[in-house]
Amino acid sequence: KQRLTSANRNLTASLQQFRLEQGTKDAQLREERQEKQSLVARVEQLRVEQGVKDAQLARFDEVDRARATAEANCQIAVEARAAAERDNQHLERDKQRLERDNQRLERDN
């Protein structure tokens, strides 16, 4: 009977030790699961943030292309104005020459 009682106590102690160890393992597993869920949530947050940054970069690129186009158009306008001014100078010289020619013709007539 004593051996049975002693064996029963040993089994009870072993069972308690097993339950204690199992509880510790379960707690560790829950903690690891929570950490993984936190990491998954953080990765998703980073993906969203990256998406926002990518959209901002796309807008910046679009604005930069628009700026470059505006600068090119401005340069074209500057060159066109310079060409128009040169044409006006030529026309003014031609006009003055024609006026002189006209005055000579009137004197000659």
Side-chain angles (χ1 to χ4, degrees):
K1 185 177 176 183
Q2 275 186 339
R3 278 190 294 171
L4 286 176
T5 304
S6 177
N8 193 22
R9 275 191 217 124
N10 287 340
L11 284 174
T12 302
S14 293
L15 183 59
Q16 287 176 342
Q17 180 64 30
F18 174 78
R19 286 180 179 158
L20 180 63
E21 290 172 358
Q22 193 62 39
T24 301
K25 288 179 184 177
D26 288 346
Q28 286 174 339
L29 285 175
R30 279 192 301 276
E31 186 177 317
E32 287 175 5
R33 236 181 264 122
Q34 288 175 345
E35 287 176 7
K36 286 179 184 177
Q37 289 172 346
S38 293
L39 287 173
V40 167
R42 179 64 180 144
V43 165
E44 185 57 32
Q45 179 185 0
L46 289 172
R47 284 185 181 145
V48 169
E49 290 174 4
Q50 187 63 46
V52 169
K53 289 178 183 178
D54 289 345
Q56 287 174 333
L57 282 175
R59 282 193 300 273
F60 290 154
D61 288 345
E62 191 176 315
V63 167
D64 195 43
R65 283 191 300 274
R67 182 194 50 75
T69 300
E71 286 178 357
N73 289 341
C74 185
Q75 182 62 33
I76 290 168
V78 165
E79 291 170 5
R81 182 176 180 171
E85 287 176 359
R86 283 191 304 274
D87 289 347
N88 282 343
Q89 289 172 356
H90 290 291
L91 289 173
E92 184 62 34
R93 279 192 298 250
D94 289 346
K95 178 183 166 190
Q96 290 172 0
R97 185 178 45 79
L98 288 173
E99 286 175 352
R100 283 192 309 272
D101 289 348
N102 194 23
Q103 287 172 357
R104 258 187 255 129
L105 285 174
E106 285 178 3
R107 278 193 312 249
D108 291 345
N109 283 337

